[in-house]
Amino acid sequence: MAIDDLLDEHEQSERVRSWLRNNGAGLLGGVVLGLGVIFGWQWWQKDQAGKKEQAYLSYQTAVEGLASGDLKQTQGAVDALVKEDELYADVAGLQLAKAQLQAGERDAAIATLRALTPDDALRPLVNLRLARLLIDAGKHDEALKVLDKATDASSLEVRGDALLATGKAKEAQEAYTRALATLDAVSPQRRLVELKLIDAGGTPPKAGGAA
């Protein structure tokens, strides 16, 4: 091997050592950070899997409680689900509220529905059932607040019920008319809403016509 080659190798080695001295800490930090991200991701996946499994177990406990008529067991499971998984909590909560109402525990059903935090897909259903229970309990103003931004036919119908119960016939007519505007002519619900509108002093619009 030529002397020049040895010098080149020596020079290259020195350059490598110099680069490591200048950049070694950053390189090591990058490796540590990379490993941290990998292990952190794996831990997060395991943690999420564990939470999902626990939520499923809580939901099964709720289902078993409903099947056996043990509403206290179901209530405990739903309370746990509110913290563990909103979707499971919403589904189990709706079932629990129905069972509580059938058992004559209206106030407990109201409390169950109030505790739920449904997503946009389930919120109209939860609010509708809650509003109906509030009207049954004579809490018409609270029912109106729950349905304040509702636009579907069923919610508008119940909003009309609450308004009529508080003596606001004109506003009830408006709510019923808006409900009819969203219903098909052959909808079974339409005739009922028309009767409610007539009872409130209004005149049903022609099916498919302007409200």
Side-chain angles (χ1 to χ4, degrees), residues 109-209:
I110 290 174
T112 294
L113 293 176
R114 283 189 187 279
L116 301 181
T117 55
D119 60 14
D120 291 340
L122 277 177
R123 185 175 292 110
L125 176 59
V126 173
N127 287 348
L128 178 61
R129 293 190 180 181
L130 176 57
R132 282 174 172 162
L133 292 180
L134 289 170
I135 291 173
D136 186 61
K139 300 178 180 180
H140 306 104
D141 290 338
E142 291 184 39
L144 289 172
K145 289 180 181 179
V146 169
L147 298 176
D148 184 48
K149 297 181 180 180
T151 58
D152 62 284
S154 294
S155 295
L156 288 170
E157 177 190 347
V158 174
R159 181 172 175 78
D161 295 345
L163 288 166
L164 190 60
T166 57
K168 299 177 181 178
K170 289 294 183 183
E171 293 181 44
Q173 291 174 28
E174 180 184 353
Y176 291 138
T177 301
R178 288 176 60 198
L180 287 171
T182 67
L183 290 171
D184 293 331
V186 296
S187 170
Q189 184 182 356
R190 185 177 184 88
R191 183 55 182 162
L192 176 60
V193 179
E194 287 177 338
L195 291 173
K196 288 184 177 182
L197 175 56
I198 293 172
D199 185 55
T203 301
K206 292 182 178 180

Side-chain angles (χ1 to χ4, degrees), residues 54-82 84-85 87-97 99-100 112 116:
Q54 181 57 50
Y56 177 74
L57 292 175
S58 295
Y59 179 72
Q60 285 298 109
T61 299
V63 171
E64 291 169 3
L66 288 169
S68 64
D70 189 342
L71 298 186
K72 287 185 178 180
Q73 174 182 319
T74 306
Q75 182 69 70
V78 171
D79 290 342
L81 283 169
V82 169
E84 296 169 354
D85 188 287
L87 180 57
Y88 275 133
D90 295 339
V91 174
L94 285 168
Q95 294 174 327
L96 172 60
Q100 289 171 324
T112 294
L116 301 181

